[in-house]
Amino acid sequence: ITGTVPPEIANLPKLELLHLHNNRLQGTVPRLALKGQTKSSFITDCGSPSEFDSPLDCPDCTMCCNSRQECDAKESQADFGHIASFFIGSIALFAVFTALSKAIYDFICSQNQKKPPIQNELHSIGRDSAYSFFLSSNVTAWVLALAVLATQTLCFTFFIDAASLDFGDDRIWIYAFSCPRNNLDCRKTSDLTSVGWIFFTVFALVYLVCDMWSGLKLVWGVSKHGVSMKSFRVFIGGCSLLSITSLALYATVVYNFATSRSTLDMIFNTVILLFVNDLDEKLFTSLHVISPNWLERITTEIATNFKGRVRINIRYAASNHALRHEHKVRIAHVEHQLSQRSITVK
């Protein structure tokens, strides 16, 4: 069928079922109030991609199909980008509230009490993470940490925006229904089972929950440094770690919800997004190769600023220890040879 949908169709009060998909209709479909609506009650070609520059406009459709004969429920349409902004804003406010609450508690209730020891900041934020640079006073270190934070945020934003379903725009969302012409009901084409979500949950727990907990611990421990630049640096580091990890979790959930239609898709998409979450550690590893001396100075400066409460990176500590041990052995061997020659000469 070609052309437009006649407006007179809105004058059918007893209409219960209307399937207009897999045709070449254009324009706007009149608003209809069908009786006893289900997902398969009102179907048109209002999805993307379309045979035309813009798909059919159908405000009251229950299901939209595209030119590939793929369909999805109109109720699935969502703008995950706005939800993400609200979500991350809530996380940041929660971090501020947590830090202020702990500071007030310490001021009112713990003035005469011995504060329990808190795990050192570098261990919490990650000894091999570029986010540890937030604990430094070095400008270059801060620029690198902010660059990683901005890059990860941008990447996750791209995934979230692509996952949002807009029937008028061709997004990465994979339609989950098929509506054959010879059947009154649409059928779901997704093969995703609970096993896929179980795998996702395991990956999320292993990769993300620890970082979220570490970021929360840093924010909780800000008050032990009082009102100082140390508190500011620790708060920014903890808030950044908590926020970017929460954004990674949100992006992974919505992207899998939009594109995963099998367990294999779920695993594949989760691994890709978790790789983006490891970008801070990859930068740290790259700096270890490119400029190890600068990196060691920054790590030592953090240890000095926190009065030894922050441990130097284990990789450096082990490497330096092995190097010093090797030098000591060589020196001892040379001294022994010199001693033997001296005895021989005498």
Side-chain angles (χ1 to χ4, degrees):
I1 303 175
T2 60
T4 60
V5 180
E8 290 79 10
I9 200 171
N11 299 326
L12 302 175
K14 296 184 180 181
L15 187 62
E16 296 183 2
L17 189 73
L18 183 60
H19 289 185
L20 298 175
H21 57 297
N22 297 337
N23 290 296
R24 294 179 60 84
L25 295 170
Q26 301 182 65
T28 302
V29 180
R31 301 191 69 94
L32 299 176
L34 302 186
K35 293 184 176 181
Q37 281 192 0
T38 65
K39 287 183 179 180
S40 303
S41 295
F42 192 6
I43 311 173
T44 64
D45 296 322
C46 51
S48 295
S50 173
E51 297 285 353
F52 306 99
D53 294 336
S54 60
L56 193 66
D57 182 21
C58 185
D60 292 335
C61 282
T62 57
M63 189 78 70
C64 284
C65 299
N66 58 25
S67 58
R68 305 189 190 107
Q69 298 184 9
E70 301 166 340
C71 307
D72 214 328
K74 196 73 176 286
E75 63 185 22
S76 301
Q77 186 167 274
D79 187 353
F80 293 126
H82 288 151
I83 301 175
S85 301
F86 176 78
F87 177 67
I88 297 303
S90 300
I91 294 294
L93 290 176
F94 174 74
V96 173
F97 175 77
T98 301
L100 289 176
S101 299
K102 183 62 165 58
I104 294 173
Y105 173 80
D106 288 344
F107 179 77
I108 296 177
C109 304
S110 305
Q111 288 183 335
N112 299 322
Q113 297 180 10
K114 185 179 179 181
K115 296 180 181 180
I118 300 177
Q119 198 171 21
N120 66 77
E121 285 81 357
L122 185 55
H123 177 79
S124 295
I125 204 169
R127 291 185 294 262
D128 298 333
S129 171
Y131 287 128
S132 63
F133 296 160
F134 281 123
L135 302 180
S136 171
S137 59
N138 185 278
V139 176
T140 305
W142 267 72
V143 169
L144 290 173
L146 289 172
V148 171
L149 179 63
T151 303
Q152 287 182 307
T153 302
L154 194 61
C155 289
F156 289 132
T157 301
F158 286 151
F159 279 103
I160 293 170
D161 183 64
S164 299
L165 176 58
D166 183 0
F167 288 109
D169 190 11
D170 191 10
R171 300 291 183 91
I172 202 171
W173 180 288
I174 297 178
Y175 289 14
F177 289 87
S178 174
C179 302
R181 289 173 178 243
N182 59 350
N183 200 323
L184 295 180
D185 295 319
C186 299
R187 58 181 178 83
K188 200 164 187 177
T189 57
S190 175
D191 296 327
L192 183 62
T193 63
S194 58
V195 175
W197 287 106
I198 291 174
F199 273 108
F200 165 76
T201 304
V202 171
F203 289 152
L205 288 175
V206 171
Y207 280 91
L208 300 178
V209 172
C210 291
D211 285 345
M212 293 178 68
W213 180 248
S214 296
L216 189 59
K217 284 198 299 183
L218 283 170
V219 172
W220 182 257
V222 164
S223 61
K224 74 174 183 177
H225 298 293
V227 181
S228 64
M229 285 302 298
K230 285 184 183 179
S231 296
F232 175 75
R233 295 200 295 265
V234 173
F235 176 78
I236 294 298
C239 188
S240 299
L241 183 61
L242 178 63
S243 298
I244 198 63
T245 309
S246 301
L247 183 63
L249 179 62
Y250 177 80
T252 308
V253 171
V254 299
Y255 190 77
N256 276 314
F257 182 75
T259 64
S260 296
R261 297 297 177 256
S262 67
T263 301
L264 184 61
D265 290 342
M266 175 74 73
I267 297 174
F268 182 75
N269 293 334
T270 302
V271 170
I272 290 177
L273 284 158
L274 291 179
F275 174 79
V276 177
N277 192 62
D278 287 340
L279 188 61
D280 56 309
E281 297 179 3
K282 298 301 179 183
L283 175 62
F284 193 95
T285 304
S286 299
L287 290 173
H288 175 258
V289 176
I290 297 172
S291 184
N293 293 331
W294 178 86
L295 192 58
E296 187 169 3
R297 285 200 307 271
I298 295 299
T299 309
T300 304
E301 183 241 330
I302 294 173
T304 303
N305 286 342
F306 285 88
K307 299 179 181 179
R309 283 193 292 266
V310 182
R311 293 182 297 177
I312 297 177
N313 181 273
I314 287 179
R315 208 182 324 179
Y316 290 120
S319 177
N320 292 337
H321 178 74
L323 187 61
R324 288 195 299 269
H325 178 71
E326 182 180 354
H327 286 173
K328 286 181 180 180
V329 171
R330 289 182 179 179
I331 292 172
H333 180 66
V334 171
E335 288 178 346
H336 177 71
Q337 287 183 332
L338 290 175
S339 177
Q340 293 295 326
R341 291 182 181 180
S342 176
I343 293 174
T344 302
V345 169
K346 287 181 180 180

